[in-house]
Amino acid sequence: MLEEELVTLLAAVAAGDENAFAQLSEHYAPLVKSMSARFAPSFESLGDAAAMGVQDLEQEAQLALYRAAQTYNLSQRSVSFGLYAKICIRNSLVSALRKSASRERAVKKSPPPVMSPVEDPLYIASARDASGSLKNRIDQVLSPYEKKIFEQYISGRSVKCISLSVGKSEKSVHNAVYRIRVKIKGLLEN
């Protein structure tokens, strides 16, 4: 494509001409396909929750090409449109890869396993505490925040309910439950 034709097409795309973008898209189709194919293995390695097919990647690349055509500065052409488009497409695909990786990590993260009452130090402690002496020792090792969590957790409330009642994230409550288990397990072993 000649430089003058490209400038005319880019000006038309910037003005909203869909036919001009179709022509531009046709001209840059090999770039879109090659960039999409280059990123496909990275997406496939993330797993099912984050997997994007090559067609999805090509659509993402097409959108990036459109944004590049919309934002390319025709008056200052120290960088060719082809290079600018390639950079925009690459950045868009990298961003999509990061978002997918983040979603995959979120899917893989799961709350700590729920222990049966037979093996959970929190339930053992509450069952053994007939005299109240263990309760006093527990109160001494737990922080005020952990005490609130402990009392609600032992009463059977879910982590979600506890997090809402104390105004903290579920992650914070999960972490507190873990710390409490470790502390109480230490008390039970003594």
Side-chain angles (χ1 to χ4, degrees):
M1 179 177 289
L2 297 173
E3 183 73 22
E4 299 86 35
E5 290 177 57
L6 181 61
V7 170
T8 304
L9 274 178
L10 289 171
V13 170
D17 186 347
E18 292 177 20
N19 291 330
F21 180 69
Q23 290 175 0
L24 188 70
S25 179
E26 186 178 316
H27 181 71
Y28 284 97
L31 174 66
V32 166
K33 288 184 184 296
S34 71
M35 294 290 286
S36 301
R38 185 181 312 158
F39 277 84
S42 298
F43 279 92
E44 290 168 3
S45 70
L46 290 176
D48 292 339
M52 288 180 78
V54 175
Q55 289 179 335
D56 295 330
L57 293 174
E58 286 179 7
Q59 285 181 341
E60 185 70 33
Q62 280 285 32
L63 286 169
L65 177 65
Y66 181 74
R67 286 190 299 270
Q70 291 284 319
T71 59
Y72 183 69
N73 187 348
L74 288 169
S75 63
Q76 191 254 349
R77 289 187 262 165
S78 59
V79 174
S80 71
F81 176 73
L83 178 59
Y84 180 72
K86 184 175 182 177
I87 292 169
C88 289
I89 291 169
R90 181 193 169 283
N91 289 347
S92 181
L93 292 174
V94 166
S95 180
L97 181 62
R98 285 184 182 146
K99 287 178 187 171
S100 292
S102 177
R103 280 193 298 270
E104 181 67 16
R105 281 191 302 274
V107 166
K108 285 183 179 179
K109 278 186 181 177
S110 59
V114 176
M115 296 182 183
S116 73
V118 174
E119 56 189 16
D120 191 343
L122 301 180
Y123 288 103
I124 294 170
S126 64
R128 280 194 195 168
D129 192 23
S131 67
S133 64
L134 185 59
K135 172 102 171 85
N136 291 336
R137 290 174 44 207
I138 289 172
D139 285 344
Q140 290 173 353
V141 297
L142 297 182
S143 71
Y145 175 66
E146 290 168 341
K147 287 177 193 174
K148 285 182 194 174
I149 302 299
F150 176 67
E151 290 168 7
Q152 293 186 45
Y153 192 81
I154 288 300
S155 70
R157 295 188 76 191
S158 70
V159 169
K160 186 173 190 158
C161 289
I162 296 170
S163 70
L164 292 172
S165 75
V166 296
K168 298 285 187 176
S169 70
E170 288 183 42
K171 177 76 172 158
S172 174
V173 173
H174 278 295
N175 289 340
V177 169
Y178 175 78
R179 289 191 311 273
I180 294 166
R181 279 190 176 121
V182 169
K183 289 177 180 180
I184 292 177
K185 187 175 181 182
L187 287 175
L188 293 174
E189 290 172 352
N190 290 336

